[in-house]
Amino acid sequence: MKKNSITTLNQFIADQQNKFPYVQGSLSRLFGAIQLSAKMINRDVRKAGLIDILGNFGETNVQGEEQKKLDVISNDVFKKLMDMSGDCVCVVSEEDQDIHWCPDGANAKYILAIDPLDGSSNIDVNASIGSIFSIFKRLSPDKPVNEEDIFQKGDRQVAAGYVIYGSATMFVYTTGSGVNGFTLDDSIQEFCLSHPDIKTPENGNILSVNEGNLNEFPQGVIDYISWCKEDNKADKRPYSARYIGSLIADFHRNLLKGGIYMYPPTAKAPNGKLRLLYECNPMAFLVEQAGGKASNGQMRIMDIQPTEFHQRTPLIIGSSNMVDQVIKMMAGEAGGGNR
Ligand code: AHM
Ligand code: MG
């Protein structure tokens, strides 16, 4: 990035299109629609307290969770803009039971998976929340899209990213050639390149996990958490505990500073809480592109074969050496320290 120059997300995508043939016209148009969705959701999030849209919608989503009004609004915004784009075959969303087929998308190339507003329990308390997206290419232009197209492994994602509605609004994405972050300049309503080529440190000293569930975690995870609290100057232990309960906020901080986020299996939820298609796959693509790792404790997240829309998986994600250490300890291998 040249000093004193501004690169908007649109300019950046246009440049990428020249460099990488796979960022073709329709993918950049799809990005345009995602970007506009993000701006519209950002507008609503920013005035959520002013226009009676805070609080519960009064219904539960397909997974029995209470939906917030902003969850519903964000889901509708994404679907409407995908419909208008003409570049998206269908949308699968954490908030919907069924596939949303875009009316003019029968011949389009791309499939969008979204968590339209993640961390929504934080809306009422004005903490950071975000939208997560993952893009796949349909398997064949000649056959109608079916579940096989949607249940592709994360490794086949064409692009993924998130928009964080935090103290600033940022758009962070990858198309498989690094990770770049853009901050929304409110005055011109443009996302401008602020975090080029993000690389996450190999080692970090931040631990993000809901320790309230500690007694239900596998022994290896419990051991790892105790290990993080031990004194060891060489690797900056004890680590700092930071957990806000909003995946994007915890992930974003750890991506930039170095750290680990875990949502391990628990006795009550052996597959954890987070969804493979809408949360884990896109975050895994981003973290790997930034030099980090993402695992379910046994295998790489992006190698998991999806079999259900709302499939859940444990998630261990962040700085590569930290993820390796958890995996080692989950496998019962010595982790060091005085266990
Ligand atoms: P959501 O998609 O319903 O918002 O749930 C996902 C969120 C993540 O953002 C967050 O990391 C996690 O749930 C927090 O769960 P818990 O409160 O069990 O720690
Ligand atoms: Mg979510």
Side-chain angles (χ1 to χ4, degrees), residues 23-138:
V23 188
Q24 300 136 335
S26 62
L27 184 60
S28 8
R29 283 198 303 272
L30 199 60
F31 264 102
I34 294 171
Q35 196 189 145
L36 189 53
S37 307
K39 286 180 188 170
M40 292 171 83
I41 296 167
N42 179 61
R43 180 194 59 195
D44 287 343
V45 167
R46 295 293 169 209
K47 61 184 180 190
L50 298 173
I51 50 165
D52 191 29
I53 51 175
L54 269 180
N56 297 334
F57 188 63
E59 286 183 12
T60 49
N61 70 8
V62 289
Q63 290 151 81
E65 296 152 331
E66 218 170 46
Q67 281 183 309
K68 298 282 178 181
K69 284 182 187 176
L70 272 170
D71 287 344
V72 178
I73 292 169
S74 310
N75 197 30
D76 288 348
V77 164
F78 267 110
K79 289 189 287 187
K80 197 162 273 172
L81 285 169
M82 289 308 123
D83 288 353
M84 284 164 57
S85 77
D87 291 299
C88 185
V89 187
C90 61
V91 180
V92 284
S93 163
E94 183 182 297
E95 298 298 334
D96 291 331
Q97 175 84 58
D98 300 317
I99 303 172
H100 170 82
W101 296 101
C102 302
D104 298 326
N107 297 319
K109 285 188 193 142
Y110 297 106
I111 295 162
L112 183 77
I114 44 165
D115 180 349
L117 204 58
D118 179 68
S120 53
S121 62
N122 279 312
I123 296 171
D124 292 349
V125 296
N126 199 8
S128 301
I129 47 179
S131 305
I132 311 176
F133 64 90
S134 161
I135 301 173
F136 287 94
K137 205 169 188 179
R138 72 192 293 172

Side-chain angles (χ1 to χ4, degrees), residues 17-279:
Q17 211 171 325
N18 295 334
K19 277 194 225 155
F20 305 106
Y22 56 83
V23 188
Q24 300 136 335
S26 62
L27 184 60
S28 8
R29 283 198 303 272
L30 199 60
F31 264 102
I34 294 171
Q35 196 189 145
L36 189 53
S37 307
K39 286 180 188 170
M40 292 171 83
I41 296 167
N42 179 61
R43 180 194 59 195
D44 287 343
V45 167
R46 295 293 169 209
K47 61 184 180 190
L50 298 173
I51 50 165
D52 191 29
I53 51 175
L54 269 180
N56 297 334
F57 188 63
E59 286 183 12
T60 49
N61 70 8
V62 289
Q63 290 151 81
E65 296 152 331
E66 218 170 46
Q67 281 183 309
K68 298 282 178 181
K69 284 182 187 176
L70 272 170
D71 287 344
V72 178
I73 292 169
S74 310
N75 197 30
D76 288 348
V77 164
F78 267 110
K79 289 189 287 187
K80 197 162 273 172
L81 285 169
M82 289 308 123
D83 288 353
M84 284 164 57
S85 77
D87 291 299
C88 185
V89 187
C90 61
V91 180
V92 284
S93 163
E94 183 182 297
E95 298 298 334
D96 291 331
Q97 175 84 58
D98 300 317
I99 303 172
H100 170 82
W101 296 101
C102 302
D104 298 326
N107 297 319
K109 285 188 193 142
Y110 297 106
I111 295 162
L112 183 77
I114 44 165
D115 180 349
L117 204 58
D118 179 68
S120 53
S121 62
N122 279 312
I123 296 171
D124 292 349
V125 296
N126 199 8
S128 301
I129 47 179
S131 305
I132 311 176
F133 64 90
S134 161
I135 301 173
F136 287 94
K137 205 169 188 179
R138 72 192 293 172
L139 293 173
S140 159
D142 308 322
K143 285 195 214 137
V145 165
N146 60 31
E147 284 188 2
E148 221 186 305
D149 297 77
I150 295 164
F151 293 156
Q152 297 184 56
K153 289 183 185 173
D155 216 21
R156 298 188 59 103
Q157 288 171 102
V158 171
Y162 59 84
V163 184
I164 178 168
Y165 312 107
S167 40
T169 298
M170 272 188 77
F171 192 111
V172 179
Y173 85 97
T174 184
T175 51
S177 47
V179 179
N180 291 283
F182 300 77
T183 301
L184 185 66
D185 181 335
D186 267 334
S187 62
I188 52 170
Q189 278 299 300
E190 288 283 357
F191 285 102
C192 300
L193 184 61
S194 52
H195 294 65
D197 197 18
I198 297 172
K199 292 290 173 221
T200 197
E202 277 188 343
N203 293 297
N205 65 346
I206 298 175
L207 169 68
S208 306
V209 64
N210 185 346
E211 261 197 87
N213 297 328
L214 187 81
N215 293 341
E216 289 199 42
F217 291 156
Q219 191 55 45
V221 174
I222 297 175
D223 290 347
Y224 177 73
I225 293 172
S226 318
W227 181 84
C228 291
K229 294 175 182 174
E230 289 168 8
D231 267 315
N232 183 316
K233 284 211 174 63
D235 52 13
K236 295 192 188 142
R237 280 182 287 147
Y239 296 154
S240 294
R242 298 281 184 272
Y243 187 77
I244 192 163
S246 186
L247 171 64
I248 296 184
D250 284 314
F251 176 90
H252 184 70
R253 180 198 51 241
N254 294 358
L255 180 75
L256 298 182
K257 294 191 161 186
I260 188 164
Y261 171 99
M262 301 194 282
Y263 209 107
T266 63
K268 282 190 212 113
N271 293 322
K273 174 182 183 188
L274 303 176
R275 292 79 170 177
L276 177 61
L277 294 188
Y278 320 113
E279 289 159 330

